[in-house]
Amino acid sequence: MSRRDPLSVRHRIALAACLAALAVCLAVFATGSAMPVQEVQLASGGGTAHGGGDNAKATAGGQPTRTDSATSTPNSTPKSTPTQAPSATPVTTPTPLQQADVFFASVDTMKLSKDEAASRLTPGQIANAVAQSAIGNYVTNDVPMEYPAVMGEWTAAIRSAGEYVWYRMGTSQHCLDRTVYLAELHNLIVSNPGYWHAGDIIDGDAENENSCYWTEHCGARGPYGCPQAFNAFTSALTETEDAALAQLGITGVITGVHSTDPGTATDGLLAASTVQSDHNFVTVDAYPDQGISDPATAAAKWINQLNAIHDAWPNAEVVIGESGYDLSNDVSDGTQVAVLSAEYHAIESAHMTWLIGWNYWVGPGDCAGGGCAHLLDGSVAAGWTRRPAAATVASFYSAEGG
């Protein structure tokens, strides 16, 4: 597939970082003090909001439900993020991403990095899971903000494997006030400067539309009951990430990749101004092929899903923040390979140059842990090995430039 034109993602991200740094300098010059933590006053919905959207799976857009284990009981009482020193500098540096190599190719570690954050896996257990997940140029780090030291351990392991880090953040306090959430995000970034390297991706709150804040403050329709508030917060995630990185003088980190379910992205909730704030990224977590065993039918479902996103946002660059087969059924290795191969071949043949990233959900896992789409078999104690479909995903990533 032909990738982007020369003035594309990397150049826009670098330009945004320079502008953010300039804004910080001007603020400091004008006030004589450091830039304050950005806060967003919500336009509707009764206040400021949130956190921790990746707790429930998409219900809009006809997508199946994926269950995730909570790292703690939801709690609306704000809690401060502990400040931690950065981990030691990892021993391996990923190959610098070139403009022609702009495809974000990732495997998700949520079932361990998020769901087991409180249990503190050993460095060896983390390293094994990361090494087996490293089939593209990214591995995700889904550790909630309450565990910055654990986040650092996963970051170090991902870098040691020669991969970039795709942070998919959230909080165990799923109903947290949104102004507090943004302050926590800012504090996490500025308190841990060693975590963020050029080429890394920060999603400051994956699937934030699923936060229980929205139903508590905006009614049964959730964010659809306060779309201005939802879009203000989603935009503020990128603005907070950019400002915190600029305060540290760190450039080249990719922000604005904030995943939503397909309905949020395509049925009018996501605003054009938010996409602009998100550096023209539209990131969608989608599972249109679930329960389908016929490869051609599954491939057609994915082509339709991608075209629907592109039709809604024809000038945006699209990232698939989650996908995997099959959440709904414990399919054989052969069926998983056949379906994924057909889907990826169809996508490659369609030459979707606006599709610039893909995160496979999930790497290490099992059917009891949220779905049967896992690419790795095994356990924390025994270690992980790749299922045959891991090679299928890796081949797709290589063809796409990841």
Side-chain angles (χ1 to χ4, degrees):
M1 173 187 285
S2 173
R3 293 253 61 89
R4 303 301 302 162
D5 58 60
L7 189 60
S8 188
V9 178
R10 304 287 166 190
H11 291 84
R12 290 193 292 98
I13 295 298
L15 177 60
C18 291
L19 293 174
L22 177 60
V24 171
C25 293
L26 291 174
V28 172
F29 179 79
T31 65
S33 60
M35 188 176 189
V37 174
Q38 178 170 357
E39 298 183 358
V40 170
Q41 186 66 40
L42 299 185
S44 61
T48 53
H50 170 357
D54 211 316
N55 178 51
K57 213 48 223 152
T59 54
Q63 294 298 316
T65 297
R66 166 172 64 66
T67 57
D68 301 331
S69 303
T71 50
S72 70
T73 303
N75 183 348
S76 60
T77 303
K79 174 182 176 184
S80 297
T81 302
T83 299
Q84 298 285 338
S87 300
T89 303
V91 297
T92 304
T93 301
T95 303
L97 291 177
Q98 303 300 319
Q99 190 58 45
D101 183 27
V102 71
F103 195 81
F104 313 144
S106 177
V107 171
D108 207 300
T109 67
M110 180 192 291
K111 301 313 299 177
L112 298 185
S113 60
K114 176 183 177 181
D115 292 355
E116 301 297 328
S119 67
R120 296 299 293 268
L121 303 185
T122 69
Q125 290 168 338
I126 295 173
N128 171 255
V130 168
Q132 294 302 309
S133 300
I135 61 174
N137 48 21
Y138 287 85
V139 172
T140 72
N141 183 339
D142 305 70
V143 176
M145 292 196 296
E146 289 84 356
Y147 303 96
V150 180
M151 185 180 291
E153 292 168 0
W154 280 89
T155 293
I158 294 168
R159 296 211 197 289
S160 292
E163 301 283 279
Y164 289 93
V165 185
W166 186 333
Y167 293 93
R168 304 189 75 228
M169 297 180 187
T171 176
S172 302
Q173 304 168 80
H174 305 301
C175 306
L176 186 63
D177 178 87
R178 287 206 177 271
T179 301
V180 175
Y181 189 96
L182 292 172
E184 294 287 321
L185 176 61
H186 183 276
N187 181 53
L188 175 72
I189 295 173
V190 299
S191 298
N192 299 282
Y195 290 6
W196 330 109
H197 287 191
D200 290 345
I201 296 171
I202 298 179
D203 182 346
D205 191 9
E207 292 188 13
N208 88 80
E209 72 275 11
N210 288 322
S211 168
C212 53
Y213 175 89
W214 299 116
T215 52
E216 286 189 356
H217 293 265
C218 306
R221 298 180 65 227
Y224 290 87
C226 49
Q228 287 181 298
F230 168 78
N231 281 283
F233 176 74
T234 305
S235 295
L237 287 170
T238 301
E239 294 159 4
T240 299
E241 294 156 4
D242 287 345
L245 292 166
Q247 184 174 328
L248 294 173
I250 296 173
T251 61
V253 177
I254 299 164
T255 61
V257 178
H258 298 132
S259 67
T260 72
D261 59 55
T264 299
T266 61
D267 66 4
L269 178 57
L270 186 66
S273 58
T274 302
V275 174
Q276 183 178 14
S277 296
D278 283 350
H279 307 309
N280 204 39
F281 292 125
V282 171
T283 305
V284 179
D285 298 354
Y287 298 85
D289 52 359
Q290 303 310 290
I292 299 172
S293 59
D294 177 64
T297 303
K301 287 284 189 180
W302 256 114
I303 294 299
N304 290 340
Q305 177 71 86
L306 290 167
N307 283 333
I309 299 168
H310 182 58
D311 288 347
W313 301 101
N315 298 315
E317 293 172 310
V318 174
V319 178
I320 297 302
E322 283 185 18
S323 77
Y325 179 85
D326 182 341
L327 291 181
S328 308
N329 301 285
D330 187 10
V331 300
S332 68
D333 287 345
T335 298
Q336 188 182 42
V337 167
V339 169
L340 290 175
S341 294
E343 292 173 349
Y344 296 155
H345 176 72
I347 292 168
E348 292 166 20
S349 298
H351 301 294
M352 298 174 173
T353 57
W354 38 266
L355 178 65
I356 66 163
W358 198 282
N359 177 43
Y360 189 95
W361 196 96
V362 64
D366 55 48
C367 288
C372 301
H374 54 97
L375 286 182
L376 307 182
D377 276 330
S379 67
V380 170
W384 302 93
T385 57
R386 295 172 182 170
R387 297 176 70 183
T392 305
V393 178
S395 178
F396 169 60
Y397 286 169
S398 178
E400 293 296 307

